[in-house]
Amino acid sequence: MLTLFSFLAFTGFVAIYSTWMLRKQNLATQDGYFLGGRSLTGVVIAGSMLLTNISTEHLVGMNGSAYKNGAIIIAWEVTSAIALVIGALYFIPKYLRMGLTTIPEFLEKRFDKMTQALISLLLIISFVVTLLPIVLYTGAINIESIFGISETLGITQAEGIWLTVVVVGVIGAVYAIFGGLKMVAYTDTINGFGLLIAGLLVPIFALWDIGDGNIIEGLTKVFNNAPEKFNVISKEPSIGPGSRDSILPFSVLFTGLIINQLYFWTMHQSIVQRALGAVSLKEAQKGLLFTGVLKILIPLVIVLPGIIGFYYFGDTLFDAQDSVYPELVKRVLPPWMTGFFVAVIMGAILSTFNSALNSAATIFSLDIFKVYIKKSAKEGQLVRVGKWVSAILAVVSILVAPFVANAPAGLYQLLQQLNGIFFIPMATVIIAGFFFPKVSASGAKAGLVFGLAFYILMDLVLQVNIHFVHIWGIEFVLNLIVMHLVSAKYPVAIPFVMEDSGKLSIVPWKHAKTLGWILIAITVIIYVILGSIA
């Protein structure tokens, strides 16, 4: 009863608060619905970006991977801080100067409409094929495991997960369809900090239990039980540190990982859309850099519990690593806290799900419908189209979700491998747009097609014995070569000139560079300290 009460209380509070905050918002306009009226502040942006990124595929998937493979996977998190610094100091000032609503909009200005359309379609496909189904499925695993829905209703576990997927998907779609970006941002802010608090309480309660009331003693016991689990540099001599079977070799930090991080934090629509909705450049930079601070702390929530799980369960769950986190939560949290925790989990699922739906709707409405289907479409019609797109994609994602079960290397690893199909080719095109003025529209399209084919061939068809993140790095270099070769044959016709839209203040935050350098230094220190552990 306490579990259910705390769940309903927190969920109800989030819904009532966000609805009240939206009472005077005009959601019928393009900027109002898709960009929150360009009124988001730094704290709201940071909270929303964190929760858009961190969802159950992290809580379940990364903790499951940490349980089995140790802390080497924190590279996915702490290196994000470097990408966020680059985004805050370089990319966001340019996006806001141009007054962009979507990232593909930049590609139309820099290259042509066809390049914009291709990227837009790939983004929407990537949402439906990878992110949305995995978020729904991992969320369903957590909720089913903690609440025991199948036992309560007298159905099978598979049916319980299916039912949870449908319910969560429908609730998420309602938020995204009727509230727009600002509803997503407000709910994200509350749930984001709720997730940080609740997520930290899991290892705190666990270490308190292990240390008999002494958290430091508990951490010492966990460390002494398996010190190798805390090492952040992969040591897998039996399979080779760069092989496809390695979880995350240290060397990927210098090949494909940084390209992936740059794309996700500075070019991925569902993430960057929060910063595009900022009231000013100063607030956008605050938002990105505050997110960098949170990303350095987040391994305490999505890596440490997995290692603690190894202390409790040993290797008994190696064949079911994605069940480790739910089992740990049930073991260490008191009933009243469990309900609050599940409410935050629900918020994390809804956040990522809502954000992807809102971004897909934004891209389709503005970059496809208005450009190719109805150029004369008014703002109200674009908003209506966006709502229909959100509804359709929600249904498709719900249907696809159960098919991502039983990923051999874990759900988070599956998500990253599938993301490679889309992220690196799109990142190469956007980076070329900014840094290589001689790359033409023909070169961009050739590089995009080559990149897609290359990754699918190397990693999914031939399954070469190279880690998939290294393949990203190789692909990035080859994409740029192909782009330049094709551009030499079909050169740029009209040089691109970046124009100032004048839509908002682009005065930078005075502390941006200082905080940026601090975040980079902390990232290096983490690797120096944890990399020295035997």
Side-chain angles (χ1 to χ4, degrees):
M1 184 60 70
L2 281 174
T3 300
L4 181 61
F5 175 77
S6 58
F7 170 78
L8 293 175
F10 187 76
T11 303
F13 167 72
V14 173
I16 292 169
Y17 173 80
S18 55
T19 303
W20 182 75
M21 291 295 290
L22 282 176
R23 67 194 187 284
K24 296 181 180 179
Q25 299 297 322
N26 182 6
L27 300 179
T29 65
Q30 176 178 312
D31 277 359
Y33 186 78
F34 296 120
L35 286 182
R38 294 189 189 271
S39 61
L40 303 184
T41 59
V43 172
V44 173
I45 292 168
S48 187
M49 288 182 78
L50 177 72
L51 209 63
T52 298
N53 170 231
I54 301 298
S55 190
T56 45
E57 80 277 12
H58 290 76
L59 290 168
V60 173
M62 285 197 75
N63 274 307
S65 185
Y67 159 76
K68 191 172 183 178
N69 306 294
I72 55 174
I73 58 167
I74 71 164
W76 292 116
E77 299 307 308
V78 296
T79 59
S80 298
I82 297 174
L84 283 158
V85 171
I86 296 171
L89 300 182
Y90 180 82
F91 287 98
I92 285 301
K94 290 178 168 50
Y95 292 156
L96 296 184
R97 184 184 297 274
M98 289 185 280
L100 300 181
T101 304
T102 70
I103 301 304
E105 187 181 344
F106 162 69
L107 297 176
E108 180 192 4
K109 297 175 183 290
R110 172 61 176 84
F111 296 116
D112 59 14
K113 289 183 178 179
M114 181 59 70
T115 307
Q116 176 201 39
L118 288 172
I119 294 290
S120 298
L121 286 172
L122 285 174
L123 273 170
I124 293 172
I125 292 169
S126 72
F127 288 147
V128 177
V129 172
T130 60
L131 180 62
L132 292 174
I134 290 178
V135 166
L136 284 178
Y137 184 75
T138 53
I141 289 175
N142 234 333
I143 294 173
E144 154 66 24
S145 175
I146 295 171
F147 266 151
I149 291 172
S150 57
E151 294 178 9
T152 303
L153 300 179
I155 56 180
T156 66
Q157 188 179 51
E159 291 171 337
I161 291 175
W162 250 107
L163 178 63
T164 308
V165 164
V166 172
V167 172
V168 173
V170 169
I171 294 173
V174 169
Y175 269 98
I177 292 168
F178 295 105
L181 180 66
K182 200 148 194 177
M183 168 69 88
V184 174
Y186 279 133
T187 56
D188 284 359
T189 302
I190 304 171
N191 282 316
F193 290 103
L195 176 67
L196 200 58
I197 294 168
L200 285 171
L201 286 176
V202 173
I204 287 172
F205 274 109
L207 294 175
W208 180 275
D209 174 56
I210 294 168
D212 297 321
N214 187 320
I215 293 175
I216 301 299
E217 178 64 26
L219 183 60
T220 302
K221 286 183 178 179
V222 172
F223 178 82
N224 291 334
N225 178 62
E228 71 281 359
K229 293 285 185 183
F230 287 84
N231 194 298
V232 296
I233 298 178
S234 177
K235 296 177 181 178
E236 302 170 283
S238 61
I239 60 174
S243 78
R244 66 179 291 112
D245 296 322
S246 177
I247 294 300
L248 197 67
F250 176 70
S251 54
V252 301
L253 272 67
F254 309 102
T255 57
L257 185 61
I258 191 61
I259 306 301
N260 176 79
Q261 300 290 50
L262 275 176
Y263 171 78
F264 188 80
W265 290 106
T266 69
M267 307 168 199
H268 194 282
Q269 181 67 29
S270 69
I271 294 293
V272 179
Q273 193 162 336
R274 278 104 191 90
L276 297 181
V279 69
S280 65
L281 172 60
K282 180 170 72 172
E283 293 301 318
Q285 289 180 320
K286 285 181 184 178
L288 265 70
L289 293 170
F290 291 168
T291 305
V293 174
L294 295 173
K295 289 296 286 183
I296 284 176
L297 295 174
I298 210 68
L300 297 174
V301 175
I302 60 177
V303 174
L304 180 58
I307 299 174
I308 293 172
F310 184 76
Y311 178 90
Y312 276 118
F313 310 120
D315 59 4
T316 59
L317 296 177
F318 269 18
D319 293 331
Q321 65 185 59
D322 290 319
S323 67
V324 168
Y325 192 67
E327 290 298 323
L328 183 65
V329 170
K330 286 195 295 184
R331 178 162 184 156
V332 303
L333 288 188
W336 66 270
M337 179 61 70
T338 303
F340 165 65
F341 182 79
V342 174
V344 172
I345 292 293
M346 176 77 85
I349 303 165
L350 295 178
S351 168
T352 305
F353 191 72
N354 300 345
S355 301
L357 289 181
N358 184 263
S359 295
T362 304
I363 291 167
F364 184 86
S365 300
L366 304 182
D367 294 336
I368 296 177
F369 185 83
K370 187 172 176 60
V371 175
Y372 290 97
I373 300 174
K374 191 174 182 179
K375 296 180 180 179
S376 61
K378 304 297 184 184
E379 289 192 348
Q381 185 176 14
L382 291 174
V383 171
R384 287 193 297 275
V385 168
K387 290 179 177 180
W388 275 107
V389 170
S390 294
I392 293 168
L393 293 184
V395 171
V396 174
S397 301
I398 289 170
L399 294 175
V400 173
F403 296 100
V404 303
N406 303 318
L411 289 167
Y412 191 77
Q413 195 83 344
L414 172 66
L415 175 63
Q416 295 298 346
Q417 282 186 278
L418 292 176
N419 280 342
I421 299 172
F422 307 98
F423 283 11
I424 305 304
M426 291 190 287
T428 312
V429 172
I430 298 169
I431 288 172
F434 278 109
F435 296 102
F436 298 98
K438 291 185 178 180
V439 172
S440 65
S442 297
K445 288 191 280 286
L448 184 63
V449 173
F450 172 83
L452 286 167
F454 178 81
Y455 182 78
I456 292 172
L457 178 66
M458 295 291 283
D459 191 59
L460 303 179
V461 178
L462 298 178
Q463 297 185 356
V464 296
N465 191 32
I466 303 174
H467 194 274
F468 68 90
V469 180
H470 283 318
I471 296 177
W472 293 351
I474 297 168
E475 177 190 346
F476 175 73
V477 173
L478 293 178
N479 286 351
L480 289 176
I481 292 172
V482 169
M483 286 180 182
H484 280 88
L485 290 175
V486 174
S487 297
K489 177 69 174 177
Y490 303 98
V492 175
I494 302 174
F496 170 67
V497 177
M498 189 177 297
E499 298 178 353
D500 189 343
S501 68
K503 288 188 177 181
L504 74 169
S505 170
I506 53 172
V507 176
W509 184 35
K510 62 181 180 180
H511 301 301
K513 290 184 179 179
T514 302
L515 181 53
W517 281 112
I518 290 172
L519 288 174
I520 292 171
I522 291 173
T523 302
V524 174
I525 290 169
I526 288 172
Y527 269 90
V528 170
I529 294 175
L530 296 183
S532 63
I533 295 173

